[in-house]
Amino acid sequence: MARSYASAVVDAPVEQVWELVRDFDGLPRWHPAIERSEIEGGGPADRIGAVRRLALSGGGEVRERLVALDDTARSTSYEFVTSPFPVRRYRATLRVAEDTAGGRSFVEWCADYDADAADEAELDRTFATGVFAAGLAGLQSHVTE
C-alpha cells in the first residue's frame, strides 16, 4: 500500500480552517485545481456516504464519497468512487489541529492507496504535490485574502 502526504501551518485559527475543510462540497472555494463541486442527489454535504462530483481545472472529473467526519478530532476522510488515476482502494484524510504556537492551524492531508509499483512514484508526486500541497497553499491564500 502506498501513502502520499503533505502538511502545512496555516495562518488562521483552527476553528476557521476546520470550517472550510469540513465542507465536503467546498473545495472550489480554496483549492486551485477544482473548478466546481456538486453533491450528487442534492443531500447534505456532511452526511456520511455523500458523493461529490469534482470538475478538475485541467479537465477531467473525480467522484468521491465521504466516509468519516469527526468534528471533535477535526478530521474528515473520503474515498474515490471514480477517478482518472490508476489506483485501487484510495482513501484520503484531512486533519486540522491547533498549532502549539497558538493562533495558527496545522493541517495534514494524506492518502493510502494501492497501485502498480511502476505507477507509485508518479502518483505520489501527483497526490502529495499537485493535489495536497497545492490545496494547502490554496487554503492559506484563501484565509489571508
Side-chain angles (χ1 to χ4, degrees), residues 19-30 34-40 42-47 50-55 64 66 76:
E19 182 179 326
L20 290 166
V21 167
R22 87 175 299 280
D23 182 2
F24 193 58
D25 197 30
L27 275 177
R29 291 174 51 199
W30 53 270
I34 308 299
E35 286 186 358
R36 63 186 179 281
S37 176
E38 171 190 352
I39 299 296
E40 295 181 359
D46 62 354
R47 183 184 67 217
V51 174
R52 66 181 173 195
R53 182 182 305 266
L54 302 173
E64 299 170 335
L66 182 65
T76 183

Side-chain angles (χ1 to χ4, degrees), residues 1-5 91 93 108 110-113 120 124 128 132:
M1 180 157 284
R3 171 170 273 225
S4 297
Y5 177 89
R91 183 175 179 143
T93 298
E108 39 184 7
C110 66
D112 295 305
Y113 52 90
E120 284 184 5
D124 184 50
F132 305 156

